[in-house]
Amino acid sequence: MAEILARTVEVTRKYGDVTALDQVSLDIRAGEVVGLLGPNGAGKSTLVNLFAGLRKPTSGRVELLGGSPTDPARRRGIGVTPQETGLPPTLRVGECADFVAAHFPDPVGRGELLDRFGLGDLAKRQIGGLSGGQKRRLAVALAFIGRPRLVFLDEPTTGLDVEARRTLWDGIRRFHAEGGTVVLTSHYLEEIEALAERVVVIGGGRVLTDDTMDAVRGLVGIRRVTLTASGLPELTGVLGVEQEGTRTHLLTADSDALVRELVLSGAPFADLEIRPTSLEEAFLTITGRESQAA
Amino acid sequence: MSLVLTHARYQFLETVRVPIAVIGSAFFPAMAMLFFVVPFAGDNAVASTYATGSMVIFAVMSACLFTYGIGVAEDRAQPWDPYLRTLPAGPVPRFTGRIITVMGLTLIAIIPVLVIAAVLTEATVTVPQLLLGLGAILVGSLPFTLMGLSIGYTFSSKAAIVIAQVVFFPTAVGGGLLTGDPAYAPEFIKIVSPYLPTRGAVELVWAATTDFTPNPLALIMLAVWVVVFAALAVWAYRRDEGRRFT
């Protein structure tokens, strides 16, 4: 079993009356690429912030590299992406990299780092003058500057064009191939699919699913069947129903069986459409199912 | 220690790249000097030296309360601030770096006051007195630095603006900064002022630059204020951790 780099043990975090995380136990092992998925407000950022020492749990225990994440010495082994909107606009790209590098005992050289993220020509530019994509790349680069063992990447390629996104993914894969551990949060299934081996789905402050990529793919293989009908019979296997004007959306794991049953029932309908749900919808369905079961 | 200097260097860079902020903090005390000191006390060497000392503390206090109080509150609202907390450093480098930065900016802000005092008034100092005075200013700025940090780490930026202004004026007037030569200050000011941090600070400057003998009570209270605001600032910083983010 690989070494555990970070873990939460029955961690609960509350903000006033709101419970952001509820009894979450999670291990991050060396060499893993873990995709952290969940709708907005699910508790993803709270979890990452606990690991990065930004917050303390209301109850339970958080460990990072064998100690507490609130101990600055432990944080030498991690890298975090800042939100690109917060990068100090008056500093130059190179200055910003040097500033962050000064916190680590053995940082990557500034030229090497900026080249790796396609920012080599921009070292002298003020951050305020960069494009959104360039800022995003700088933000991700900063996570790798201290030669971390474990990086937390929050929506690393949001706002990047396809080419920049592929370049960044290659960079993350290379880091992983050299033994690095990655915790990746994203809304986008595509990004998680491209990189992660293990997927943790969080919803309502709890771990709903923690499994391999393949297993989770099957789990979120939910289809949306949309049709116009005045009255529908009782159908089996419907996970959720939404009404939008005259259109009815049915969420189901088995769209073939649903359509067969619908046709056999003889109920009149028109304009049948079947498509995969977005990840967000799938999660809402999973979350709903979990709370029904509870 | 090198990390402290790194933080100070980059905070200073961030500030001076927006020159209007530096000009702004120098403008206010320079104007006060021109309007209040030059016309009323300019031809009296003792009075204008006292008044220059007062204006310098006035400048220091406004620089501290506004750059720390409002600056820190605004920084906290930016995502860069939580990012810095994930770096392997405790609060000390950022805290200390900020204090060094504002000390530097303060020295820039008081240059116009000193120039006006030298050119347009009879105020006089010797070189050792001037250096001693600068030392006194840096010590005297401590309670206001810590006061500003307490405000910045406790309130949102909108509230911090109001609080800084509300605190600023009575502390300045009550400490006797606007009433010139301490011997001729109104009775009320004489009673209240030793208890305010402005008084201890300005007395240090006066003692350094004139033959003024400071009131021990004012100096003790200055030390008390430093301790109180240091405790408040640390408390506010700790309390802030992990609460602000959604």
Side-chain angles (χ1 to χ4, degrees):
Chain A
M1 204 62 169
E3 180 193 1
I4 290 172
L5 295 188
R7 73 166 8 151
T8 61
V9 182
E10 299 191 354
V11 158
T12 297
R13 171 69 212 211
K14 294 183 176 162
Y15 302 106
D17 293 339
V18 182
T19 305
L21 288 178
D22 186 7
Q23 301 272 322
V24 170
S25 296
L26 191 69
D27 293 348
I28 309 291
R29 287 177 290 270
E32 284 186 320
V33 179
V34 181
L36 210 53
L37 286 174
N40 287 330
K44 284 179 308 203
S45 343
T46 300
L47 188 58
V48 170
N49 288 338
L50 285 169
F51 280 133
L54 278 175
R55 287 183 203 158
K56 296 180 186 116
T58 311
S59 68
R61 199 169 80 240
V62 184
E63 287 171 19
L64 179 73
L65 300 167
S68 163
T70 55
D71 171 10
R74 304 293 161 190
R75 298 202 298 268
R76 280 192 197 124
I78 65 166
V80 179
T81 39
Q83 281 180 37
E84 75 272 21
T85 50
L87 296 168
T90 55
L91 287 190
R92 300 179 202 288
V93 171
E95 288 169 347
C96 186
D98 288 346
F99 173 67
V100 175
H103 291 80
F104 294 93
D106 176 32
V108 179
R110 151 173 147 182
E112 185 194 335
L113 182 88
L114 294 182
D115 283 342
R116 204 199 290 174
F117 289 90
L119 296 165
D121 304 336
L122 302 173
K124 297 252 181 280
R125 289 265 298 278
Q126 281 196 352
I127 293 169
L130 299 183
S131 73
Q134 289 165 337
K135 283 184 199 167
R136 185 80 285 218
R137 273 183 279 157
L138 175 59
V140 175
L142 292 179
F144 291 93
I145 209 161
R147 301 188 197 277
R149 296 188 64 195
L150 170 60
V151 290
F152 294 93
L153 303 176
D154 187 18
E155 310 275 345
T157 63
T158 304
L160 292 186
D161 59 32
V162 176
E163 195 188 341
R165 170 172 295 185
R166 300 281 161 193
T167 312
L168 228 155
W169 284 355
D170 286 343
I172 295 170
R173 286 196 191 101
R174 198 161 59 228
F175 173 73
H176 175 230
E178 290 162 4
T181 307
V182 181
V183 175
L184 184 71
T185 67
S186 186
H187 283 95
Y188 301 113
L189 188 55
E190 194 199 352
E191 180 151 282
I192 302 287
E193 275 190 314
L195 299 168
E197 299 156 336
R198 175 181 164 203
V199 178
V200 175
V201 181
I202 295 190
R206 289 184 302 142
V207 174
L208 300 182
T209 305
D210 179 355
D211 218 323
T212 62
M213 173 56 77
D214 288 340
V216 173
R217 256 194 209 129
L219 196 67
V220 296
I222 288 171
R223 309 255 157 188
R224 165 181 289 241
V225 178
T226 305
L227 45 84
T228 306
S230 49
L232 284 175
E234 189 78 11
L235 297 164
T236 50
V238 176
L239 297 167
V241 183
E242 288 165 37
Q243 196 71 41
E244 189 185 351
T246 60
R247 303 289 280 163
T248 306
H249 303 283
L250 304 170
L251 297 176
T252 178
D254 189 346
S255 53
D256 302 332
L258 184 82
V259 170
R260 207 172 292 127
E261 193 183 342
L262 182 68
V263 171
L264 288 177
S265 76
F269 65 87
D271 297 330
L272 182 78
E273 250 184 286
I274 302 172
R275 56 192 171 85
T277 55
S278 71
L279 191 60
E280 188 108 2
E281 287 166 337
F283 285 141
L284 291 175
T285 313
I286 295 174
T287 320
R289 202 166 52 196
E290 290 280 325
S291 59
Q292 270 171 15
Chain B
M1 188 59 204
S2 71
L3 210 47
V4 169
L5 292 178
T6 305
H7 274 262
R9 188 169 109 83
Y10 284 99
Q11 286 177 27
F12 192 76
L13 269 181
E14 279 185 62
T15 312
V16 297
R17 295 240 169 103
V18 190
I20 193 71
V22 183
I23 294 167
S25 63
F27 180 81
F28 193 38
M31 283 301 112
M33 190 75 191
L34 280 179
F35 287 122
F36 297 121
V37 178
V38 175
F40 298 114
D43 51 2
N44 179 322
V46 176
S48 51
T49 309
Y50 277 131
T52 304
S54 300
M55 281 306 129
V56 163
I57 290 300
F58 196 70
V60 167
M61 187 171 158
S62 84
C64 288
L65 274 184
F66 291 99
T67 44
Y68 290 124
I70 300 165
V72 169
E74 280 175 351
D75 277 359
R76 285 198 303 129
Q78 296 292 324
W80 185 243
D81 192 67
Y83 170 70
L84 292 180
R85 287 171 181 251
T86 70
L87 294 176
V92 174
R94 188 145 173 85
F95 237 78
T96 323
R98 208 183 264 281
I99 290 170
I100 294 173
T101 307
V102 174
M103 279 182 175
L105 292 174
T106 304
L107 292 178
I108 294 175
I110 62 175
I111 288 171
V113 173
L114 296 181
V115 170
I116 292 168
V119 177
L120 298 178
T121 77
E122 297 296 319
T124 51
V125 283
T126 61
V127 171
Q129 279 179 330
L130 180 67
L131 292 178
L132 214 56
L134 290 177
I137 289 163
L138 294 182
V139 174
S141 71
L142 270 177
F144 309 117
T145 299
L146 296 166
M147 192 195 277
L149 289 172
S150 313
I151 293 173
Y153 280 109
T154 307
F155 300 100
S156 71
S157 61
K158 277 185 183 152
I161 293 173
V162 178
I163 307 261
Q165 280 164 343
V166 166
V167 170
F168 178 64
F169 202 67
T171 319
V173 176
L177 295 187
L178 300 181
T179 42
D181 190 330
Y184 305 106
E187 210 50 39
F188 170 70
I189 299 288
K190 282 187 183 170
I191 295 168
V192 181
S193 59
Y195 298 98
L196 293 172
T198 33
R199 185 51 167 225
V202 79
E203 292 204 356
L204 278 182
V205 175
W206 287 339
T209 54
T210 67
D211 51 9
F212 179 83
T213 312
N215 176 355
L217 177 62
L219 297 185
I220 291 168
M221 285 311 294
L222 179 68
V224 169
W225 282 113
V226 169
V227 172
V228 167
F229 284 122
L232 261 181
V234 169
W235 173 79
Y237 181 89
R238 292 234 173 101
R239 174 183 159 278
D240 170 57
E241 200 155 33
R243 281 224 178 178
R244 170 166 35 92
F245 326 102
T246 53

